[in-house]
Amino acid sequence: MKFSPLVDELIESLRCLPGVGPKSAQRMAFQLLERNRKAGQKLANALERSMSEVGHCQACRTFTEQELCPICSSPKRGNAGVICVVETPADVLAIEAGGHFMGRYFVLLGHLSPLDGVGPDELGLELLEQHLSSEDVTELILATNPTVEGDATAHFIADIARRHNVVISRIAHGVPVGGELEYVDSTTLALSFNGRIPL
Amino acid sequence: MKFSPLVDELIESLRCLPGVGPKSAQRMAFQLLERNRKAGQKLANALERSMSEVGHCQACRTFTEQELCPICSSPKRGNAGVICVVETPADVLAIEAGGHFMGRYFVLLGHLSPLDGVGPDELGLELLEQHLSSEDVTELILATNPTVEGDATAHFIADIARRHNVVISRIAHGVPVGGELEYVDSTTLALSFNGRIPL
Ligand SMILES: [Zn+2]
Ligand SMILES: [Zn+2]
């Protein structure tokens, strides 16, 4: 024990955050205790509620505490017949930041990875196929990461989609190979949408 | 709104942590939601309780939810008549990591800074003087940071301490000038204790 049980527990708990080592956890704990208890309380509250209440959008699988996320429930998406498949909720944010895509999303929450036990079920591909069978859906854009796993996942989904009456494409130009979609700037992302190649 | 109200609130709340920008807040939120909800709950709990229950040790002013911190209440400190004055609770940790100091601490929770309204009252110097009047206290080691403000604070406290029957010293060799005590390695800190200069 370095301080008192509760302070030690706070420092230890902060280490569950990605990129936070013992030294930064300590600095975070002290800064909150010294200068920002209100913000600490607010964070406690947001964490408490998020961890128990946030689930997944029933249409696109992104994080939301509601039945449908704001994008899926918005009547303002001009191109609701186009579904863009991404790996993570962060990818949705990255594409939305560009503001050029007016369709909807489908979030895989991962990519195919048989060794880790991640197969079609884990990626919600049955739900995606339900969307594809709907008459409203006319186009599928595969925006998984340009990595080996992301490419394999895109091809796997393209094979499924071919059974349905939709135009299929993969985003292409602009996204650097081996990179993570989440970190690409919005202009590059826009290019990769415009230059998508039919599969 | 980027996701849903609750997810947005979680991301926004995480930014109260030092060094956490919008991108890392987002990554932290997603990682907790995706992979570590139990740890997120635990953190919420530790934050909630710490922010409301953690106060200051009534003897040394470091953080604790108890009346006395573990150091002040320990019967095992071999040199309880020696008080080491530091600026922050993190400095206590840094010195304890060395394991060579067996006295007690007094934590100023800052340094003299008249422009910011930090004077003797804010640093708890009345409480420190109560300790100095006690017969049990024989020595005072001033381990404030070797900065302009830390030096000024040390001299101010030395002036007070001279009215009492204690040996007064300032830690000296080893700590790089302008540096922060919290980030000094324990060997350097040990040197600075051994080479302390009487004031
Ligand atoms: Zn949705
Ligand atoms: Zn104490």
Side-chain angles (χ1 to χ4, degrees), chain A residues 57-62 64 67-73 105:
Chain A
C57 172
Q58 294 191 10
C60 76
R61 308 202 341 143
T62 199
T64 181
E67 197 173 330
L68 292 179
C69 74
I71 293 176
C72 287
S73 60
Y105 296 92

Side-chain angles (χ1 to χ4, degrees), chain B residues 71-130:
Chain B
I71 293 175
C72 287
S73 60
S74 166
K76 289 188 197 146
R77 305 292 293 193
N79 233 332
V82 185
I83 293 182
C84 174
V85 176
V86 294
E87 295 187 22
T88 70
D91 296 336
V92 173
L93 261 200
I95 294 171
E96 286 295 292
H100 55 277
F101 177 68
M102 290 311 291
R104 301 220 161 127
Y105 296 92
F106 189 83
V107 182
L108 300 171
L109 299 172
H111 48 238
L112 286 178
S113 180
L115 289 179
D116 303 315
V118 181
D121 283 356
E122 284 69 30
L123 303 182
L125 296 192
E126 202 171 332
L127 176 60
L128 177 60
E129 217 174 342
Q130 284 173 30

Side-chain angles (χ1 to χ4, degrees), chain B:
Chain B
M1 187 164 55
K2 288 171 164 181
F3 285 93
S4 55
L6 194 46
V7 178
D8 288 350
E9 192 193 323
L10 175 61
I11 295 173
E12 185 55 38
S13 301
L14 282 163
R15 297 199 50 197
C16 74
L17 300 170
V20 175
K23 205 83 188 178
S24 2
Q26 191 186 301
R27 201 172 66 242
M28 286 172 170
F30 290 159
Q31 171 139 333
L32 290 178
L33 286 169
E34 268 172 55
R35 283 195 279 268
N36 221 348
R37 296 206 180 203
K38 258 197 189 145
Q41 284 282 13
K42 220 181 130 219
L43 174 56
N45 207 300
L47 271 170
E48 170 69 39
R49 288 183 52 219
S50 305
M51 295 302 118
S52 59
E53 292 174 31
V54 169
H56 297 282
C57 172
Q58 293 190 12
C60 77
R61 308 204 337 146
T62 199
F63 292 126
T64 181
E65 73 276 19
Q66 297 150 333
E67 198 173 330
L68 291 179
C69 75
I71 293 175
C72 287
S73 60
S74 166
K76 289 188 197 146
R77 305 292 293 193
N79 233 332
V82 185
I83 293 182
C84 174
V85 176
V86 294
E87 295 187 22
T88 70
D91 296 336
V92 173
L93 261 200
I95 294 171
E96 286 295 292
H100 55 277
F101 177 68
M102 290 311 291
R104 301 220 161 127
Y105 296 92
F106 189 83
V107 182
L108 300 171
L109 299 172
H111 48 238
L112 286 178
S113 180
L115 289 179
D116 303 315
V118 181
D121 283 356
E122 284 69 30
L123 303 182
L125 296 192
E126 202 171 332
L127 176 60
L128 177 60
E129 217 174 342
Q130 284 173 30
H131 293 317
L132 295 175
S133 338
S134 148
E135 285 202 349
D136 302 336
V137 175
T138 56
E139 187 177 351
L140 187 71
I141 301 177
L142 295 161
T144 51
N145 283 325
T147 55
V148 175
E149 298 86 357
D151 278 335
T153 306
H155 280 96
F156 187 90
I157 295 174
D159 286 342
I160 293 174
R162 279 197 196 91
R163 297 182 221 143
H164 301 272
N165 188 24
V166 292
V167 178
I168 309 164
S169 61
R170 173 95 170 98
I171 59 164
H173 304 305
V175 180
V177 172
E180 301 258 298
L181 207 120
E182 178 181 351
Y183 297 102
V184 173
D185 65 271
S186 53
T187 316
T188 311
L189 269 173
L191 272 179
S192 74
F193 268 70
N194 293 337
R196 63 187 186 268
I197 298 164
L199 289 188

Side-chain angles (χ1 to χ4, degrees), chain A residues 1-15 22 25-26 29-30 33, chain B residues 42-43 46-47 49-50 54 62-66 69-71 89 93:
Chain A
M1 186 164 56
K2 288 170 165 181
F3 285 94
S4 56
L6 193 46
V7 179
D8 288 351
E9 192 193 323
L10 175 60
I11 295 172
E12 185 53 38
S13 302
L14 282 163
R15 298 198 49 198
Q26 191 187 300
F30 290 160
L33 286 168
Chain B
K42 220 181 130 219
L43 174 56
L47 271 170
R49 288 183 52 219
S50 305
V54 169
T62 199
F63 292 126
T64 181
E65 73 276 19
Q66 297 150 333
C69 75
I71 293 175
L93 261 200

